[in-house]
Amino acid sequence: ERPSAAGIVHLHCTNCVAVSCMCHGDPADVLPPITAYYVMRIGKLPLLPYYRPGDMSLADAVRKAARGNHAMLLANHGPVVAGKSLDDAVYNAEELEETARLFLMLQGHKTQFLTDEQIAVLRDAFPS
């Protein structure tokens, strides 16, 4: 459902799985804009509900979420990440895992995230 995606990866990487197990106020976007590269490679990160592995409803939910997102987290499971090539998908997944790690490291600390204006400048300079 994402015509520009020529590569897709699904991982069980530790930090993303940890974030996928957390409660989030906005399941449409569970990680804040910590770095420019996260915004450029991932953008928004929805958290899909939990489905048991192999459930066809999971495939339907991923297909629907992929229409508007480069990546998503499967609750209590891990990420699905797309890219313009398999290499690009892997680089996007690496960026997502590192951002999840930063997010977990910053818990409980006053943190400065990118502003809406900074994000708009990035999206203008690096459209997805």
Side-chain angles (χ1 to χ4, degrees):
E1 294 291 325
R2 190 162 191 86
S4 64
I8 299 171
V9 294
H10 167 60
L11 305 167
H12 300 138
C13 44
T14 304
N15 295 294
C16 284
V17 171
V19 171
S20 82
C21 295
M22 297 172 75
C23 294
H24 298 277
D26 182 8
D29 192 15
V30 298
L31 284 180
I34 298 174
T35 68
Y37 292 101
Y38 172 75
V39 171
M40 292 162 44
R41 287 195 166 273
I42 304 299
K44 292 189 177 207
L45 184 68
L47 177 66
L48 277 57
Y50 173 80
Y51 296 92
R52 71 163 174 76
D55 186 334
M56 288 310 295
S57 297
L58 173 59
D60 292 338
V62 167
R63 187 177 301 108
K64 182 178 176 185
R67 291 181 187 134
N69 299 284
H70 296 287
M72 64 204 72
L73 277 181
L74 311 179
N76 301 80
H77 193 142
V80 175
V81 185
K84 295 175 184 170
S85 67
L86 184 56
D87 283 346
D88 190 48
V90 169
Y91 299 144
N92 291 346
E94 287 177 340
E95 190 64 41
L96 175 55
E97 175 64 2
E98 289 305 309
T99 301
R101 181 172 180 250
L102 288 170
F103 175 74
L104 294 169
M105 289 173 61
L106 293 168
Q107 293 293 298
H109 297 277
K110 188 172 180 173
T111 305
Q112 176 178 304
F113 300 119
L114 296 178
T115 65
D116 290 342
E117 292 169 9
Q118 291 167 325
I119 292 168
V121 168
L122 286 169
R123 289 191 175 141
D124 285 343
F126 304 97
S128 58

